[in-house]
Amino acid sequence: MVGGEAAAAVEELISGVRQATDFAEQFRSYSESEKQWRARMEFILRHLPDYRDPPDGGGRLDQLLSLSMVWANHLFLGCSYNKDLLDKVMEMANGIEVEDLPQFTTRSELMKKHQS
C-alpha cells in the first residue's frame, strides 16, 4: 500500500505545481519571451508563499511582482536600479539559472574606453 500512498502524494504535488503555474501565468507580460517568462515565473513561484496577500489586503503580491520585474529588467534589458534593491533581488534569485544572457556595457565602461 506504500506504493499507492507515494503515487497519491506525487499526484498531489504535481497538481499543486500545476495550480501555482496556472496562477502565475496571469502575470506574464505580453512582451516577455518564453525564456524571460520562465525565469521570472521561477522567481515568482519561489517566493510566492512569503508574499501572499493577507486577507485584509496589503499588496504583498504586488511587491513580489514588482521585485520580479526589477530582476528581469536588470537581467534581460540591462536596467540599473538602486544598489540595495539590486542586492535584494539578486539574493532572491540566487540559484535561478538563466542561459545565454545578453551582455551589457555600462555608461561608465563606455566612458573609460572613450577616455583611453
Side-chain angles (χ1 to χ4, degrees):
M1 199 63 179
V2 172
E5 291 172 9
V10 167
E11 188 59 40
E12 184 177 328
L13 178 64
I14 290 170
S15 175
V17 168
R18 267 193 219 113
Q19 287 176 350
T21 301
D22 290 346
F23 173 76
E25 190 67 37
Q26 67 184 312
F27 304 116
R28 182 177 184 173
S29 171
Y30 70 91
S31 63
E32 285 180 294
S33 70
E34 190 63 33
K35 179 168 79 171
Q36 291 168 339
W37 171 239
R38 278 194 318 267
R40 196 166 75 87
M41 184 170 60
E42 184 175 345
F43 185 101
I44 292 167
L45 292 176
R46 175 185 286 191
H47 297 287
L48 191 58
D50 298 330
Y51 283 86
R52 289 254 184 214
D53 283 338
D56 62 349
R60 299 273 298 151
L61 181 57
D62 285 343
Q63 184 180 19
L64 174 60
L65 296 174
S66 297
L67 291 169
S68 74
M69 288 303 296
V70 165
W71 176 69
N73 288 347
H74 174 70
L75 218 60
F76 295 108
L77 303 176
C79 296
S80 300
Y81 296 93
N82 170 288
K83 181 184 178 336
D84 291 337
L85 179 58
L86 274 179
D87 288 347
K88 177 179 179 133
V89 296
M90 295 310 282
E91 181 180 325
M92 290 174 74
N94 190 25
I96 297 176
E97 293 187 26
V98 182
E99 295 180 7
D100 302 322
L101 286 173
Q103 298 295 314
F104 299 101
T105 304
T106 64
R107 182 180 182 279
S108 58
E109 291 171 337
L110 288 172
M111 295 302 289
K112 285 180 187 176
K113 284 183 183 179
H114 184 65
Q115 291 172 352
S116 299

